[in-house]
Every structure is written in C-alpha cells, then in structure tokens.
C-alpha cells in the first residue's frame, strides 16, 4: 500500500525528504541483465539510484535520489523531448484495471514532460512513425515537479494525478536516464523489466491507494 504523505512544501528539498522519510527505498535496477551479478554491478557502479513512493490528494508522488557525475539536460521549455536532451527522472502511472497510462518527466533544471497513452499499443505506433508523438503531449502544469542538485548528483520530485479511489490498485514504475555527452545513456527502473523497455505495463509493480 502507498503511504499517505503529510502536507509539505514541494519546492523545498528538506521538506520533501522529511515527507517521504517513512516510505520504503526502492532501488532502480536493470532487470534485463541476464544474471544477478551484472545487475548488481550496474546498479552499484553505473546507476546508483533509489525512489520513494507516496500518495496525497489523488496523486502519486515520487521522490528520486540519483547519483550522477555529470548532471545536465538541455531542455529549456516544458514538453520538449527531454529523454533526448540529457538526464531525466520519470514515472509511469496507471490504474491497474485500465490500459491507459501517464508518463511524466522532470529534468535536473526542473523542466517537465507530460505524456498520456490511451493504450499499450500506442507506443508502438509512435515508435514506428505511424503516430506523431507530439499528439500524446498534455498540459505540463498537471504535473507538479521539482529538482535539486546535490553533492552526489541530483534529486527529482514528481506528482502525477490518477483517477483512483481508496483501496483501488494502481501500477507505478519509476525510471531514469543517466545521460552521457558522448555515448548512449544508462537507464534503470524500479520495474523488473525482462527487456530494456520502460513501456511494459504488466511489469510495473502494483500498489493499493490508501484510505484517508
């Protein structure tokens, strides 16, 4: 079950960390690695990151602590293709009984991306060029987000609305792009994906919306 968060100022890092203090730490991993040794090595050396989940006022809240030796993203306005431009912290959210889902991003400089997918087949259409991906972009102000630099990297906070009542189930997956300036990014997720693809809703862990 998701923990209900007390009210807090989500523009303040210390306030956010205190609000999530009792929420479990979830490691971001590379589940598609073929053996546990390689997965552990990638998580501990190239992609050390954790996420914490909470619930408040009809929203899934996610706090991510991301170790990163070169923090950057060149996005300058909301709803740009942030994953192509540098480091990204992101979350996927859907009702467990729905095929539709939301994808939300925040960059280290606080730029947001808000995407909505009506079903799981839509991502294939967008990747295949049969659908303009810009048509999936929605009002970025619906996503509440903050980001802070730290001594070891950065922290991202995302809040995503979801139409789910107390005791109902939601699926949530938290991911990151650890970008590099001259090579492909390293990626990781709280979901145990068998393939390196975040858009696999059946892999996303299920959580219960709390009462009260």
């Amino acid at each position: 079950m998701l923990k209900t968060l007390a009210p807090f100022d989500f523009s303040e890092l210390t306030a956010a960390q205190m609000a999530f203090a009792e929420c479990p730490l979830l490691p971001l991993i590379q589940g598609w690695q073929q053996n546990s040794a390689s997965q552990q090595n990638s998580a501990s050396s190239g992609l050390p990151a954790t996420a914490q989940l909470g619930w408040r006022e009809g929203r899934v809240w996610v706090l991510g602590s991301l170790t990163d030796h070169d923090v950057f993203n060149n996005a300058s306005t909301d709803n740009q293709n942030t994953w192509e431009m540098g480091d990204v912290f992101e979350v996927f959210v859907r009702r467990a009984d729905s095929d539709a889902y939301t994808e939300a991003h925040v960059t280290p400089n606080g730029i947001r991306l808000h995407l909505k997918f009506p079903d799981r087949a839509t991502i294939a259409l967008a990747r295949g060029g049969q659908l303009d991906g810009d048509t999936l972009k929605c009002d970025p102000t619906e996503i509440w987000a903050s980001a802070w630099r730290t001594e070891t990297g950065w922290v991202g906070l995302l809040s995503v609305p979801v139409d789910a009542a107390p005791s109902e189930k939601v699926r949530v997956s938290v991911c990151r792009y650890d970008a590099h300036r001259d090579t492909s990014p390293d990626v990781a997720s709280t979901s145990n994906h068998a393939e390196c693809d975040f858009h696999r809703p059946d892999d996303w862990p299920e959580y219960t919306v709390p009462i009260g």
Side-chain angles (χ1 to χ4, degrees):
M1 178 176 290
L2 295 173
K3 178 178 173 56
T4 300
L5 302 176
F8 69 99
D9 182 351
F10 64 86
S11 68
E12 296 289 338
L13 175 56
T14 300
Q17 291 172 328
M18 290 179 62
F20 283 87
E22 297 182 8
C23 300
L25 288 171
L26 307 174
L28 273 69
I29 63 171
Q30 293 180 313
W32 52 89
Q33 297 288 349
Q34 293 302 305
N35 59 74
S36 59
S38 62
Q39 178 172 307
Q40 291 170 0
N41 288 339
S42 64
S44 61
S45 58
L47 292 168
T50 59
Q52 293 168 281
L53 304 181
W55 177 268
R56 180 168 176 78
E57 297 179 342
R59 290 173 167 268
V60 170
W61 293 76
V62 187
L63 186 70
S65 299
L66 314 168
T67 302
D68 192 335
H69 300 304
D70 183 17
V71 179
F72 74 97
N73 192 295
N74 295 322
S76 57
T77 60
D78 288 337
N79 277 359
Q80 291 180 295
N81 291 351
T82 53
W83 72 95
E84 297 176 346
M85 307 176 77
D87 298 313
V88 170
F89 179 60
E90 64 184 76
V91 61
F92 296 83
V93 180
R94 73 176 179 99
R95 287 175 54 102
D97 60 357
S98 173
D99 219 23
Y101 61 92
T102 296
E103 178 181 355
H105 293 198
V106 66
T107 69
N109 51 331
I111 299 298
R112 298 166 294 186
L113 172 64
H114 182 195
L115 301 170
K116 287 187 177 180
F117 296 81
D119 53 51
R120 67 184 65 199
T122 300
I123 185 62
L125 296 176
R127 288 171 172 170
Q130 300 163 275
L131 176 70
D132 182 354
D134 285 344
T135 64
L136 303 174
K137 295 177 178 178
C138 300
D139 183 358
T141 64
E142 294 180 6
I143 304 303
W144 300 348
S146 295
W148 304 269
R149 299 292 182 96
T150 66
E151 291 183 358
T152 58
W154 64 291
V155 171
L157 174 69
L158 285 165
S159 174
V160 180
V162 56
D163 183 17
S167 299
E168 292 185 332
K169 306 288 187 180
V170 294
R171 287 185 178 270
V172 183
S173 183
V174 186
C175 310
R176 66 139 353 152
Y177 278 73
D178 181 10
H180 308 295
R181 298 178 190 272
D182 55 358
T183 61
S184 298
D186 291 316
V187 297
S189 172
T190 55
S191 297
N192 189 22
H193 290 305
E195 298 178 12
C196 185
D197 184 356
F198 295 160
H199 291 262
R200 294 170 57 90
D202 291 338
D203 295 342
W204 302 346
E206 187 175 270
Y207 302 91
T208 302
V209 174
I211 299 172

